[in-house]
Amino acid sequence: MKVVIAEKPSVARELAKVFGATTKRNGYIEGKGYTFTWAFGHLLQLAPPQEYGFIGWRRQHLPMLPKKFKLAIRKVKTKDGFVDDPSVKKQLDIIKQLFDEATEIIVATDAGREGELIFRYIYYFLRCKKPFKRLWISSQTDEAIKDGFRNLKPGTDYDTLFNSAHCRSESDWLVGMNATQALSISAGSRSVLSLGRVQTPTLAMICSRYLEVKNFVPQPFYQLAIQIDKDGQLFKAMSVNNFEKKEEAEVLFEKIEDIKSGFPLGAEIVDVEAKPRKEPPPLLHDLSSLQQEANKKKGFTADQTLGLLQNLYENKLVSYPRTGSRYIGDDVFASIPGLIEKAQSHAVFGKQAEYLLTVPLNKRSVNAKKVTDHHAILPTGEPVHGLSDDKQAIYDMVVGRMLEAFHQECVKEITKITISSGSIFVANGTVIRSPGWRSVLNDKDDDKKEEDNPSLPKVKAGEHLPLPEKALLEKLTKPKAMYNEASLLKALETSGKEIEDEELRYAMKDTGLGTPATRASIIETLITREYITREKRNLIPTQKGLAVYDVVKDQKIAQAELTGQWEKRLEEIRSGASVMDFKTEISDYTRTITNELLVAGTGLLHKMENKTN
């Protein structure tokens, strides 16, 4: 009997259906020589401190550094406290019986770090010794499942993936348990003041930005603006320099030779610079970039987007959602024309898909070396029926991005006109000559959003043109925007460094905070801990969050870039780097932050009370 274990019941049911297994039992489905069973996500977790003799929260226990970690059944809260989840115990007994009877074990949990951890923890907890094979697929379509079962991999091929997942799990336990107890004990708090390896530097980023905006003092500055007339077409130009003092601006303002001042030829064209520019299409979506787009366009939280995308995946409509790659290999690229052909029936993108089949496809998103465990998110081409508005919106973003990514470049002409009239002025304009990929969503040109001139007339150097209007503008400097989920996700990719270039930002993803699959849960955890809250679309720290930040801001645990390095180390372990070296570094790191927090937390309670009052 071949036993297949999936991550959750719904996936097991889909796998069983593909193989024609229809006999339902308690905790599994069987038929055609296969038995399909399941977990409910994480059935097991690293055992809590008391399992290692650390009873109660006491200073003398810290730092807690178990020599060997134990596994414990997931707990549920009851009136008598936390107890082993009875439904988990029951399912583990069923899995054990099936494993004992199995002639072959096939792992079909999600093909990623957490999916591997879920299975391996079950496997080791049940003390199973049988070899196992791994199903590794990027799509839940019937054909992808069948192909995956025809090409099962030896389970040992994923030992380094498990090592990476296990190191992540242990490091989160060490840092989270010790830091939380250290801060809570030193603060004398009756409630838990939770800290974590990833959540705390994320909180620090949000608080730092909030305080920067809150304490920002706007500074006035002045600009000169002129309006120029070229054969009845008016366009606007701004002074090259800004002025801190109004008096300086007024002196030059008086020198502008406008019509009202009696100078009908008040502007001289000094230089005209027109450059063509080709703008490449965007890369395909990974989870993080899709979450950012969904937050900007629809206001969806990162967690909502992940949930909707997961549902689309389980319904065979899109490829694996928790991917951190924005590229595909040549093998997947070979299927793109077929996917575009099927997109011709799409109500919104049909004509664009039809056009795209007549031109060479752009291969910017094709690079097998940049594909990690899974390729970028793509539609599967399966028929779509009766989706809710929210699911349809996410599905459309996936389809739209596919068409954009393989479309032609957007060709623009960028014009800069330099003008003299008592001072030097510049008029900028951009004309799209060939929209290319921008035609898919009729997306506005980002460069044009800040411009005063959608287009500029043809002018020549040496021309003198009428200047019907002039203005002295008083403006105020503006702070950075508060973090919303889109901008925070973007910042988490690079440990808070502000990098606009999408390829450079992608290149730094291994040094970011968390992973595309975990960043949504980080935000939700901070909200659950009452450290931050959502105000409209912004993420705002609470008084409790600010008080905790005030204590930890100078400690190692709050340093985003340092913490981001651990994520890089975990990826290196995935590629075979030393596990022991990482564990030694994490233990040293834990000792440092524990000692820091045992001192730093003194007086935190007073600060929290003062902030609340």
Side-chain angles (χ1 to χ4, degrees):
M1 178 182 68
K2 295 180 179 181
V3 175
V4 181
I5 179 167
E7 193 160 316
K8 49 188 172 181
S10 59
V11 175
R13 284 194 294 270
E14 287 300 319
L15 295 174
K17 189 160 59 175
V18 170
F19 283 83
T22 56
T23 305
K24 295 181 180 179
R25 305 291 188 191
N26 189 4
Y28 62 96
I29 304 168
E30 63 181 359
K32 307 291 185 179
Y34 284 88
T35 296
F36 298 87
T37 189
W38 51 80
F40 316 116
H42 285 276
L43 301 185
L44 298 156
Q45 56 197 14
L46 295 182
Q50 55 266 31
E51 295 290 324
Y52 311 101
F54 304 118
I55 309 299
W57 288 32
R58 298 179 181 178
R59 186 182 291 261
Q60 59 266 35
H61 289 162
L62 303 179
M64 300 175 289
L65 299 168
K67 290 182 179 179
K68 187 175 181 180
F69 278 94
K70 302 175 184 178
L71 291 172
I73 292 173
R74 191 173 70 199
K75 309 291 184 186
V76 290
K77 192 174 183 178
T78 68
K79 62 180 181 179
D80 299 319
F82 285 95
V83 299
D84 289 349
D85 187 330
S87 64
V88 169
K89 290 175 70 174
K90 181 180 177 182
Q91 188 64 15
L92 283 169
D93 288 341
I94 292 168
I95 294 170
K96 177 173 173 49
Q97 181 183 344
L98 294 174
F99 279 7
D100 288 344
E101 298 171 357
T103 56
E104 184 177 319
I105 297 172
I106 299 170
V107 185
T109 50
D110 276 2
R113 197 162 75 181
E114 289 308 297
E116 191 68 20
L117 189 70
I118 287 169
F119 165 71
R120 295 285 185 119
Y121 276 3
I122 293 171
Y123 182 80
Y124 294 128
F125 183 79
L126 298 179
R127 302 183 186 281
C128 185
K129 302 294 184 183
K130 292 183 179 180
F132 54 89
K133 294 182 179 179
R134 189 60 159 103
L135 175 70
W136 196 269
I137 54 177
S138 290
S139 167
Q140 290 280 5
T141 63
D142 291 3
E143 188 51 46
I145 291 169
K146 290 175 183 176
D147 187 58
F149 271 88
R150 286 192 291 266
N151 294 281
L152 294 171
K153 309 292 184 185
T156 52
D157 285 4
Y158 299 92
D159 285 351
T160 57
L161 180 64
F162 167 68
N163 290 340
S164 173
H166 188 44
C167 284
R168 193 279 307 156
S169 182
E170 287 189 357
S171 63
D172 282 351
W173 191 101
L174 288 169
V175 175
M177 291 290 186
N178 282 288
T180 297
Q181 288 200 21
L183 182 63
S184 301
I185 289 169
S186 63
S189 175
R190 292 181 182 177
S191 60
V192 174
L193 298 174
S194 172
L195 298 180
R197 181 181 64 90
V198 178
Q199 78 174 52
T200 302
T202 304
L203 172 65
M205 286 169 56
I206 295 169
C207 290
S208 176
R209 175 63 61 85
Y210 170 80
L211 292 172
E212 183 182 347
V213 173
K214 182 182 177 184
N215 297 327
F216 182 82
V217 179
Q219 299 296 320
F221 69 96
Y222 303 88
Q223 277 185 305
L224 304 177
I226 57 175
Q227 190 180 62
I228 301 163
D229 186 348
K230 169 64 176 179
D231 299 330
Q233 182 175 349
L234 300 176
F235 63 99
K236 192 174 182 179
M238 303 296 296
S239 57
V240 173
N241 297 320
N242 295 337
F243 306 94
E244 291 183 9
K245 295 181 180 179
K246 188 174 184 180
E247 294 77 16
E248 294 178 51
E250 286 175 335
V251 170
L252 292 172
F253 180 75
E254 294 303 322
K255 293 182 179 180
I256 298 174
E257 300 174 343
D258 63 333
I259 288 177
K260 292 179 182 178
S261 304
F263 297 95
L265 298 177
E268 179 185 359
I269 306 300
V270 177
D271 185 50
V272 180
E273 189 179 5
K275 290 183 178 179
R277 177 176 149 195
K278 292 182 179 179
E279 186 181 24
L283 296 170
L284 289 165
H285 273 312
D286 66 358
L287 174 58
S288 185
S289 64
L290 182 59
Q291 286 170 323
Q292 291 171 48
E293 182 179 344
N295 183 253
K296 289 177 183 175
K297 292 184 176 178
K298 304 296 290 186
F300 294 161
T301 68
D303 200 48
Q304 279 179 302
T305 299
L306 176 55
L308 293 166
L309 198 60
Q310 180 71 24
N311 185 275
L312 292 172
Y313 171 65
E314 291 176 11
N315 283 285
K316 309 178 187 294
L317 298 178
V318 301
S319 62
Y320 185 74
R322 288 175 168 81
T323 178
S325 177
R326 302 185 67 179
Y327 294 86
I328 59 173
D330 288 293
D331 56 337
V332 178
F333 180 66
S335 69
I336 295 301
L339 292 177
I340 294 172
E341 187 174 355
K342 290 180 179 178
Q344 290 180 102
S345 61
H346 193 284
V348 178
F349 302 124
K351 289 184 178 179
Q352 286 297 329
E354 187 178 334
Y355 168 77
L356 207 51
L357 291 171
T358 67
V359 297
L361 298 182
N362 193 300
K363 296 188 72 174
R364 186 184 178 215
S365 291
V366 183
N367 189 334
K369 292 180 180 178
K370 293 185 178 180
V371 177
T372 49
D373 291 333
H374 296 278
H375 59 67
I377 300 170
L378 289 169
T380 61
E382 292 290 305
V384 178
H385 303 291
L387 292 180
S388 67
D389 290 346
D390 287 353
K391 290 175 190 172
Q392 186 71 52
I394 296 296
Y395 181 76
D396 288 351
M397 288 179 198
V398 174
V399 176
R401 177 53 62 91
M402 177 187 72
L403 298 177
E404 286 181 323
F406 297 107
H407 216 293
Q408 296 168 309
E409 295 171 319
C410 173
V411 181
K412 302 186 285 189
E413 184 177 85
I414 298 172
T415 303
K416 177 182 176 182
I417 302 175
T418 305
I419 302 147
S420 176
S421 181
S423 188
I424 300 299
F425 296 81
V426 169
N428 292 303
T430 301
V431 177
I432 293 181
R433 297 301 181 193
S434 174
W437 64 270
R438 287 193 177 277
S439 62
V440 175
L441 299 177
N442 291 316
D443 192 28
K444 291 184 179 179
D445 187 341
D446 291 335
D447 291 341
K448 293 173 69 175
K449 288 176 183 176
E450 299 299 321
E451 287 177 1
D452 295 300
N453 304 293
S455 62
L456 290 169
K458 295 288 184 183
V459 296
K460 295 182 295 182
E463 274 190 273
H464 285 77
L465 298 175
L467 196 158
E469 294 288 343
K470 65 178 181 178
L472 193 161
L473 306 176
E474 181 175 343
K475 298 183 177 181
L476 292 172
T477 55
K478 294 180 180 179
K480 294 177 181 177
M482 294 284 192
Y483 276 124
N484 55 34
E485 296 205 27
S487 60
L488 181 64
L489 289 169
K490 189 175 178 181
L492 289 174
E493 291 175 354
T494 51
S495 296
K497 293 181 179 177
E498 295 185 0
I499 299 173
E500 290 302 320
D501 182 85
E502 66 173 330
E503 285 192 275
L504 180 57
R505 199 168 63 249
Y506 179 81
M508 286 189 65
K509 70 181 179 66
D510 288 344
T511 57
L513 284 174
T515 65
T518 61
R519 287 172 190 141
S521 65
I522 294 166
I523 296 170
E524 295 304 319
T525 295
L526 289 172
I527 291 172
T528 301
R529 304 290 189 210
E530 298 181 342
Y531 285 164
I532 67 171
T533 186
R534 291 187 179 96
E535 288 187 9
K536 296 181 180 178
R537 293 194 181 184
N538 290 331
L539 297 172
I540 305 296
T542 62
Q543 296 301 330
K544 180 180 178 182
L546 287 168
V548 170
Y549 167 70
D550 194 42
V551 171
V552 303
K553 63 185 178 185
D554 297 323
Q555 314 302 328
K556 280 192 174 183
I557 195 170
Q559 295 175 20
E561 194 166 355
L562 177 65
T563 307
Q565 292 297 324
W566 296 122
E567 205 62 54
K568 185 178 181 182
R569 294 295 307 280
L570 291 170
E571 283 304 307
E572 289 170 351
I573 289 170
R574 169 74 173 91
S575 302
S578 170
V579 170
M580 289 309 300
D581 286 351
F582 177 82
K583 288 186 175 182
T584 299
E585 289 178 36
I586 278 289
S587 294
D588 291 343
Y589 176 74
T590 300
R591 289 186 184 94
T592 300
I593 60 170
T594 302
N595 291 331
E596 286 179 347
L597 293 167
L598 282 170
V599 175
T602 305
L604 172 59
L605 220 57
H606 181 66
K607 291 177 183 177
M608 289 174 61
E609 289 168 357
N610 284 348
K611 286 180 179 292
T612 304
N613 295 333

